[in-house]
Amino acid sequence: MSLRKTNSLLLATAITSSLNSTIAFAHWDGARPDAHAPIGVMADHTHKTGEWMFSYRVMYMEMDGNRDGTDRLSTSEVLSQFMVAPKNMDMEMHMLGAMYAPNDDLTLNIMVPYIKNSMDHINRMSAEFETVGEGLGDISVGGIFNLTQWKSSRDTQIQHRLLANLSLGLPTGEDDIRDDTLMPNVKLPYPMQVGSGTYNLMPGITYLGQQINGNYSWGAQAMATIHTGHNDEGYRRGNRIQLTGWLARVLSDNVSASARLTASAWDEIHGEDDQLSPMLVQTANTDLLTGQRADFGLGLNVKVPGTGHRFAIEASRPVWQDLDGPQLETDMIITAGWQWAL
Ligand SMILES: [Cu+2]
């Protein structure tokens, strides 16, 4: 048997055995405000048998100005390469979520996003226009599994946990939205579409640590988005990988604060949409959609005692970004959410 097969068998056995045994998280305090990760992190926690959670998140991302590599580009520099230059873009996402735990080791989740992308442009004749791509995004369904847990004790006792998650993204969002530019009813470029048009796999792994009698907790997560096949427009979006790590401190029984560092990288689009003109504007050019970024964010988790309600907010800014440009640079990301467990 090949080493690869042996490894996957071992992994399957490990997952099955951890699913069959009920892990009692004797020392994990799920009621602490910092028992949930900062609100910008997904698939960070599981629930107890029979528990439901409903959530609403709003994510706002602001992109202002262009960049090539790590350097800023002026609008006129962009216009020396293209007929049209994007000036800024706002991405607003509303996300409804539901989680349900059939047992202590597995929590199922579904996420339903609604997205509004708006972009301001200027052309070489100084004519300005705005386009909007808006609608239901790609719904995802999946599960979060408790892989293992262990306790360590030196000066303070620490509860550690390891979770794995896997979600399937469904092509429910539109990938052929049109809007008026300076011409009527034009197909909008790749970043303005709200859906990928393909089935997407999102695997991830999360480590969590919690001081049992202390005020600190921390975590780290690796998550990938893998797009499969091609959509009806003739392309698939670039894959994405994201690594994040955070430190949280309990401030009172119901409030915790967090600091988080995130690194993400996104690959190029495969194939292309024939109805887009790559010479006209950078956002229609498949060579100019890859990049890497590091973000630093501060967050607050608040729980309303005895009700199952939690509120959280997190604001982050890029500390570094390297883009295959011209490409709009990210300036700020704010995520706020409400979670209700019952
Ligand atoms: Cu939950």
Side-chain angles (χ1 to χ4, degrees):
M1 201 186 296
S2 72
L3 186 62
R4 200 164 175 185
K5 265 189 182 156
T6 318
N7 280 342
S8 49
L9 263 182
L10 282 175
L11 183 65
T13 316
I15 290 174
T16 317
S17 63
S18 87
L19 286 181
N20 289 341
S21 66
T22 298
I23 301 170
F25 295 108
H27 303 287
W28 178 266
D29 183 357
R32 278 167 60 154
D34 63 337
H36 286 200
I39 193 73
V41 182
M42 311 285 166
D44 62 292
H45 64 268
T46 56
H47 286 272
K48 289 188 180 139
T49 308
E51 202 169 67
W52 284 88
M53 190 188 90
F54 299 96
S55 65
Y56 167 70
R57 274 184 178 86
V58 57
M59 194 192 92
Y60 177 74
M61 187 166 163
E62 190 182 281
M63 305 170 98
D64 196 3
N66 286 281
R67 192 175 275 244
D68 186 12
T70 54
D71 299 326
R72 283 166 173 272
L73 282 183
S74 68
T75 303
S76 56
E77 284 173 305
V78 177
L79 287 174
S80 70
Q81 299 179 52
F82 292 96
M83 305 287 288
V84 173
K87 290 167 63 186
N88 56 65
M89 176 175 176
D90 288 339
M91 237 193 86
E92 193 183 311
M93 180 160 76
H94 302 267
M95 183 129 80
L96 289 173
M99 299 172 94
Y100 173 72
N103 60 58
D104 281 352
D105 291 332
L106 170 67
T107 292
L108 303 171
N109 68 340
I110 178 167
M111 293 196 288
V112 182
Y114 184 90
I115 298 168
K116 183 180 178 185
N117 294 327
S118 25
M119 194 182 280
D120 288 321
H121 310 71
I122 187 164
N123 74 358
R124 287 180 180 170
M125 316 297 288
S126 296
E128 301 198 23
F129 64 94
E130 185 194 26
T131 56
V132 176
E134 181 175 6
L136 177 70
D138 289 347
I139 293 174
S140 70
V141 291
I144 305 160
F145 318 90
N146 282 311
L147 284 184
T148 184
Q149 55 123 27
W150 67 97
K151 204 176 91 171
S152 69
S153 46
R154 246 178 226 165
D155 302 338
T156 51
Q157 292 195 318
I158 296 164
Q159 177 70 45
H160 308 269
R161 298 176 61 187
L162 202 58
L163 315 179
N165 67 282
L166 182 64
S167 282
L168 175 69
L170 309 171
T172 51
E174 279 185 81
D175 57 8
D176 57 354
I177 297 176
R178 292 172 168 270
D179 196 6
D180 296 341
T181 60
L182 293 172
M183 291 179 294
N185 200 34
V186 175
K187 170 84 79 74
L188 294 182
Y190 308 102
M192 295 297 290
Q193 300 295 338
V194 297
S196 66
T198 56
Y199 287 90
N200 311 313
L201 278 175
M202 287 158 283
I205 194 148
T206 307
Y207 158 79
L208 302 169
Q210 189 185 68
Q211 282 188 335
I212 290 168
N213 290 309
N215 290 322
Y216 286 95
S217 67
W218 51 87
Q221 183 183 69
M223 186 95 83
T225 305
I226 301 159
H227 299 274
T228 66
H230 284 84
N231 60 22
D232 291 343
E233 314 311 304
Y235 69 92
R236 74 160 177 270
R237 282 187 181 173
N239 295 337
R240 190 182 183 94
I241 185 151
Q242 182 169 301
L243 305 172
T244 190
W246 66 92
L247 177 69
R249 191 188 193 282
V250 171
L251 302 178
S252 75
D253 281 354
N254 303 307
V255 180
S256 67
S258 64
R260 183 160 76 98
L261 203 56
T262 305
S264 40
W266 52 103
D267 196 9
E268 62 190 20
I269 282 182
H270 289 251
E272 62 180 326
D273 185 338
D274 292 338
Q275 292 177 53
L276 298 175
S277 316
M279 311 300 279
L280 182 72
V281 61
Q282 67 201 38
T283 47
N285 190 317
T286 55
D287 292 333
L288 303 177
L289 294 165
T290 67
Q292 303 164 51
R293 201 174 79 225
D295 302 321
F296 177 75
L298 295 173
L300 216 52
N301 284 4
V302 178
K303 49 176 282 220
V304 186
T307 63
H309 290 280
R310 287 168 169 270
F311 296 89
I313 187 163
E314 185 180 33
S316 61
R317 287 177 73 93
V319 288
W320 175 81
Q321 51 191 325
D322 185 357
L323 309 173
D324 279 328
Q327 200 178 135
L328 282 173
E329 65 169 45
T330 299
D331 289 307
M332 190 179 62
I333 304 161
I334 294 179
T335 308
W338 163 64
Q339 299 173 322
W340 182 29
L342 64 166

